């Protein structure tokens, strides 16, 4: 049985003060949560978030990192710096990084390899745009992003990778994929993991759904056989909306 893994991607929201207060409330409300939980505040608030989460089982995540360990890379943040702050996981290949900042699969793959080499967990995001979906290309797009993102990753290291299926047309739009539609793509991703690795790797792979997840649709999505969790954006910014998703029970 795969565990459920709910992650909150705070994107470019929350000051240091706001982070401390939300992290503290979540730490309290999710104290007895039986699912794996991660929150990813912005870089500037990671240090205070780490302190606020001390002694809890909520994992601290970052939203991105450099593909290089260190050096002359103005404005970038290294895996070493993240680890130093107590970060345990990193979201890579988010569609906002791919689309707004032009990140390509090979660049994302370098980050995945670097994060894993340094012992972090990775949430690798894949997903098709509206145009790709309308052209019926979604299966090919997510299969290709999965293959390229995981290139050179051993089956052992794969155990620290979660895949987040986030259809771009569902992110921040209020339009979530239906449970059935999302589950079908999750099955495609799982089949790709089987092809690239093994049946055991496919069975173990945690695949989150992301895109307008909210308390009202969490149950429909999270009870699907291939949906093992959620990567939550907007609804992760308030305890009133994140906690009910995180505390989801069948
Ligand atoms: P959303 O964002 O929940 O606001 O749609 C999800 C994400 O981009 O990770």
């Amino acid at each position: 049985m795969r565990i459920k893994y709910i992650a909150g991607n705070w994107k470019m929201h929350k000051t240091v003060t706001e982070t401390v207060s939300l992290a503290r409330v979540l730490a309290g409300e999710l104290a007895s949560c039986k699912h794996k939980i991660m929150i990813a505040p912005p870089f500037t608030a990671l240090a205070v978030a780490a302190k606020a989460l001390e002694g809890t089982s909520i994992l601290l995540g970052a939203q991105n990192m450099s593909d290089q360990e260190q050096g002359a890379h103005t404005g970038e943040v290294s895996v070493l710096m993240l680890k130093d702050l107590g970060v345990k996981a990193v979201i890579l290949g988010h569609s906002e990084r791919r689309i707004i900042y032009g990140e390509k699969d090979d660049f994302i793959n370098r980050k995945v390899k670097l994060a894993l080499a340094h012992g972090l967990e990775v949430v690798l995001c894949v997903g098709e745009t509206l145009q790709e979906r309308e052209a019926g290309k979604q299966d090919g797009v997510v299969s290709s992003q999965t293959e390229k993102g995981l290139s050179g990753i051993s089956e052992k290291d794969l155990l620290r990778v979660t895949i987040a299926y986030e259809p771009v047309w569902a992110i921040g739009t209020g339009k979530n994929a239906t449970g059935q539609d999302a589950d079908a793509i999750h099955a495609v991703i799982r089949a790709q993991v089987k092809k690239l690795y093994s049946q055991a790797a496919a069975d173990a792979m945690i695949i989150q759904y992301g895109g307008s997840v909210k308390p009202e649709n969490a149950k429909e999505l999270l009870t699907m056989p291939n949906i093992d969790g959620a990567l939550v954006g907007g609804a992760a910014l308030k305890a009133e909306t994140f906690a009910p998703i995180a505390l989801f029970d069948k």
Side-chain angles (χ1 to χ4, degrees), residues 47-197:
V48 294
K51 225 170 164 35
L53 297 180
E54 243 168 38
T56 76
S57 55
I58 301 177
L59 223 58
L60 182 62
Q63 300 171 20
N64 185 27
M65 59 172 237
S66 171
D67 68 324
Q68 302 295 314
E69 219 167 66
Q70 57 190 345
H73 296 278
T74 303
E76 289 292 294
V77 175
S78 153
V79 62
L80 303 175
M81 299 164 187
L82 296 180
K83 277 180 63 177
D84 188 41
L85 292 176
V87 167
K88 303 286 184 231
V90 61
I91 299 168
L92 296 173
H94 191 279
S95 63
E96 286 150 17
R97 301 297 320 170
R98 292 177 189 264
I99 294 165
I100 309 172
Y101 299 100
E103 294 196 9
K104 299 275 179 282
D105 287 310
D106 58 335
F107 182 64
I108 294 161
N109 175 245
R110 280 206 296 281
K111 298 185 190 203
V112 174
K113 285 196 277 207
L114 189 61
L116 292 173
H118 282 279
L120 292 188
E121 293 185 17
V122 167
V123 175
L124 171 66
C125 302
V126 301
E128 80 285 359
T129 61
L130 181 60
Q131 213 181 10
E132 289 163 340
R133 161 128 328 219
E134 282 171 348
K137 291 185 179 157
Q138 62 275 15
D139 293 9
V141 169
V142 298
S143 297
S144 163
Q145 288 176 343
T146 300
E147 178 167 16
K148 289 174 180 161
L150 296 177
S151 168
I153 307 300
S154 70
E155 187 157 341
K156 183 163 168 271
D157 282 347
L158 191 70
L159 292 169
R160 281 183 291 125
V161 177
T162 295
I163 297 176
Y165 167 60
E166 297 205 307
V168 178
W169 48 269
I171 296 178
T173 58
K175 273 188 242 157
N176 63 286
T178 64
Q180 264 179 355
D181 283 350
D183 195 69
I185 303 277
H186 282 227
V188 168
I189 296 169
R190 206 175 293 292
Q192 176 69 322
V193 172
K194 179 182 169 188
K195 190 177 133 208
L196 297 169
Y197 293 90

